[in-house]
Structures are given as C-alpha cells and as structure tokens.
C-alpha cells in the first residue's frame, strides 16, 4: 500500500520559506497553474559540482587564513619577500582568468540561443586565456627558482609556492574541463533543452577565477 | 538565466578596471588598515559579480547565495583580523 511519507513539518517550512529551500512555489502552494508568473529558483549546473565547489572554497579559505595568520608573526619577512614578487604578472593573470570567465559566460549564453558553433568559439577563447595564465605563471616560477626560491627557503616562499601551485593545478583541471565542453559544443550537445553539461563545467571554471580574486590581493599586494 | 551579452560585457570591463586598481595600489606601495579595507571591498565586489552573475547564483535558491557570499566575506574578515593582529605586534 502506498503512503504519503512527506514530513508535515518540512512541508510547512518549505511553504513559509520556499526560496530558502529551493522549492518551486507553484507546486507547493497549489496544484493549479498560477495566474502570475512564478519565479523558479534553480542552480546552474549539476548539484554535485556545487558540493564539490563548496569543498574547494573551504580548502582555499583555510589556506588563505593560514597565510594571513602566519604573516602576522613574520611581518617584516613577508613584506620584504612579497615586494620581490612580480605584481604585473599577477595582475595580467587576473585579467586572463577574468577574461576566460567572461568568454565562458558568452559560450553559455550562445548555447542558450542554440548557437553551438559560436559557443564552441567562445570556449576556445577561454582555453587560450587559460593557456596564457599557465605561460605567465611558468615564467614567474622559473624566475623565482633562479633566485633560489623554494618550499623550504622561507615561510613566505612556502605559502607563495604552495598556494599558487595549488591554484595552478586547478587552472590545469579547469582547462581540461573547458576542452571537454568545447568538444561537446562542437557536437551541438548544449542547447536550451539540455544546458546541464556546459553549466556544470562553467561553474567549476568560475570557482577557479573566484579564489584567485582573493589570492592576488592577499599574496601579491597586501603588506 | 545567464543575463544578456551586453550586461556581461559591462561587468567584465568593470572587473578589469577593478583589477587595474588593485595592481596600482600594489605598485604605489600604499599600506595601512584603510588600504586593506579598500582591497577587501574591491575583492568582495568582484567576487560578488562572479558569484551572482557569472555563476548565475542570482537565480539560485537563497541558501546558495548565503553560503558563497558568506564565504568570501568570512575569508576577508579573517584576513582583516590577522592584519590587525600583525599591526599590534
């Protein structure tokens, strides 16, 4: 025999706070179609990527706090060694990541219009910007290594290398994901009827961009 | 859901201008609590554009906006506390 297993308390909460719960108010309030358009709140992309993004944000957040509080005990050392960093390279890389993110949004918007070829082109542009980031970072690393910077040369260098390299690996993974999206876009997989794949990959790339927006001022500028 | 190309382009231009400002502060060598607060505000505004517009969380259930915007704010509060701790030493 079938039974209604809906918990009455959770149904009440959902009725009172539908936006918080991510519920469609129309289906909760009345089985009849609403007279006025009802705003439906939804996540862009797969729910699983968002749990993954939260885990990533937590890890980067802990890392940023560890940097900041270690710096508080070694101010002069951190200020002197930070001064030797190339802020221009950091700023160029910020612009490259932001531009890649912009291109990814344009690719998603093109897919929403069923313009698969245009979507693929924007994604290729985003991959190129990611490649630019990798090249600038490698030049920056090689210059640092020539100056004797290593994980064990100082607390600042340990944080600088581990934080930026941790992020660098995320950029590499992000480029692999963008390449997969590019392939999918070329085959016309993303359209208004199925945006899940491109929205999921796009969310990951934006996360990579988002954490850099804290990393750049924190490690390259604040002293 | 993901806005118009025109709006997205304007936001991208604003993000680049904000990046230039952060870089200029670094080159200028300015420091102090007010400068750190300025850099924090710039970072939070830029992050909010990424979160709300690029990640399209403006159209997501409220809980997701609270978590992500709360995350970037909390990280900057911790950075600010650490900076203040460093000043008093």
């Amino acid at each position: 025999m079938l039974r209604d297993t809906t918990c009455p308390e959770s149904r009440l909460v959902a009725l009172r706070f539908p936006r918080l719960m991510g519920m469609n108010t129309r289906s909760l309030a009345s089985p009849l179609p609403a007279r006025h358009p009802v705003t439906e709140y939804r996540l862009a992309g797969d729910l699983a990527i968002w749990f993954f993004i939260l885990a990533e944000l937590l890890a980067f957040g802990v890392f940023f706090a560890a940097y900041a509080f270690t710096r508080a005990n070694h101010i002069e050392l951190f200020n002197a060694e930070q001064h030797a960093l190339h802020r221009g390279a950091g700023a160029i890389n910020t612009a490259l990541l932001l531009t890649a993110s912009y291109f990814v949004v344009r690719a998603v918007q093109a897919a929403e219009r069923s313009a698969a070829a245009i979507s693929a082109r924007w994604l290729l542009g985003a991959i190129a910007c990611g490649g630019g980031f990798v090249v600038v970072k490698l030049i920056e690393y090689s210059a640092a290594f020539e100056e004797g910077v290593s994980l064990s040369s100082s607390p600042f260098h340990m944080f600088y290398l581990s934080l930026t390299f941790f992020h660098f690996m995320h950029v590499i993974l992000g480029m692999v994901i963008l390449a997969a999206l590019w392939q999918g876009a070329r085959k016309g997989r993303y359209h208004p009827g199925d945006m899940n794949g491109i929205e999921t990959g796009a969310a990951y790339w934006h996360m990579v961009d988002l954490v850099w927006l804290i990393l750049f001022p924190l490690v390259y500028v604040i002293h | 859901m993901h806005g118009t190309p025109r709006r997205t382009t304007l936001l991208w231009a604003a993000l680049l201008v904000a990046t230039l400002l952060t870089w200029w502060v670094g080159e200028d060598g300015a420091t102090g609590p007010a400068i750190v607060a300025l850099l924090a505000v710039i970072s939070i505004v830029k992050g909010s554009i990424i979160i709300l517009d690029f990640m399209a969380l403006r159209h997501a259930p409220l809980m997701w906006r609270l978590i992500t915007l709360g995350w970037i704010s909390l990280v900057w509060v911790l950075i600010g506390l650490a900076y203040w701790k460093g000043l008093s030493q």
Side-chain angles (χ1 to χ4, degrees), chain A residues 16-211:
Chain A
R16 284 195 170 183
F17 307 106
R19 287 177 63 180
L20 188 65
M21 300 285 283
M23 300 284 184
N24 179 347
T25 49
R26 181 187 298 173
S27 64
L28 282 162
S30 161
L32 299 170
R35 288 190 180 184
H36 304 289
V38 177
T39 307
E40 288 191 36
Y41 290 89
R42 75 165 184 92
L43 272 175
D46 204 290
L47 181 64
I49 196 72
W50 286 98
F51 287 137
F52 185 66
I53 285 172
L54 292 190
E56 295 277 19
L57 293 183
L58 188 65
F60 272 101
V62 169
F63 225 156
F64 292 148
Y67 170 95
F69 281 96
T70 306
R71 178 190 172 277
N73 292 324
H74 304 85
I75 300 234
E76 283 177 15
L77 173 92
F78 270 58
N79 285 351
E81 291 183 341
Q82 182 200 56
H83 189 68
L85 293 185
H86 200 297
R87 272 169 302 284
I92 289 167
N93 269 347
T94 311
L96 284 168
L97 286 186
L98 288 170
T99 304
S101 262
Y102 166 68
F103 287 173
V104 167
V105 179
R106 294 299 300 262
V108 173
Q109 288 168 343
E112 274 179 332
R113 302 192 306 269
S114 299
I118 295 172
S119 179
R121 235 173 289 156
W122 283 116
L123 286 167
L124 206 55
I127 294 167
C129 287
F133 179 97
V134 168
V135 169
V136 171
K137 202 89 212 127
L138 288 177
I139 293 170
E140 193 184 324
Y141 279 150
S142 69
F145 291 148
E146 272 181 26
E147 288 165 15
V149 171
S150 75
L151 280 170
S152 56
S153 54
S154 83
F156 176 79
H157 290 155
M158 189 276 288
F159 271 110
Y160 161 69
L161 285 178
S162 53
L163 250 176
T164 57
F165 191 72
F166 187 51
H167 179 268
F168 182 80
M169 295 310 289
H170 284 77
V171 173
I172 300 287
L173 176 57
M175 287 174 66
V176 171
I177 290 171
L178 291 182
L181 293 183
W182 175 61
Q183 279 288 332
R186 287 176 72 205
K187 290 173 183 165
R189 281 197 197 128
Y190 315 121
H191 48 80
D194 185 6
M195 293 289 290
N196 198 50
I198 195 167
E199 285 182 343
T200 302
Y204 181 85
W205 182 266
H206 295 316
M207 180 275 294
V208 174
D209 190 6
L210 178 62
V211 292

Side-chain angles (χ1 to χ4, degrees), chain B:
Chain B
M1 178 81 189
H2 294 278
T4 61
R6 184 183 146 79
R7 178 182 163 81
T8 309
T9 305
L10 287 174
L11 290 174
W12 171 60
L15 288 166
L16 291 185
V17 170
T19 301
L20 211 59
L21 187 59
T22 302
W23 169 79
W24 180 77
V25 168
E27 289 298 295
D28 182 65
T31 186
I35 294 294
V36 174
L38 172 71
L39 293 170
V41 167
I42 293 172
S43 171
I44 291 171
V45 169
K46 288 167 82 179
S48 302
I49 291 173
I50 297 292
I51 289 168
L52 296 175
D53 291 280
F54 286 18
M55 287 174 150
L57 288 189
R58 191 183 294 284
H59 308 284
L62 179 64
M63 181 191 80
W64 290 94
R65 289 197 294 282
L66 291 178
I67 292 174
T68 46
L69 295 173
W71 170 81
I72 194 165
S73 306
L74 178 66
V75 168
W76 276 107
V77 165
L78 290 173
I79 293 168
L81 279 175
Y83 188 82
W84 176 73
K85 182 173 179 267
L87 284 180
S88 59
Q89 282 187 353

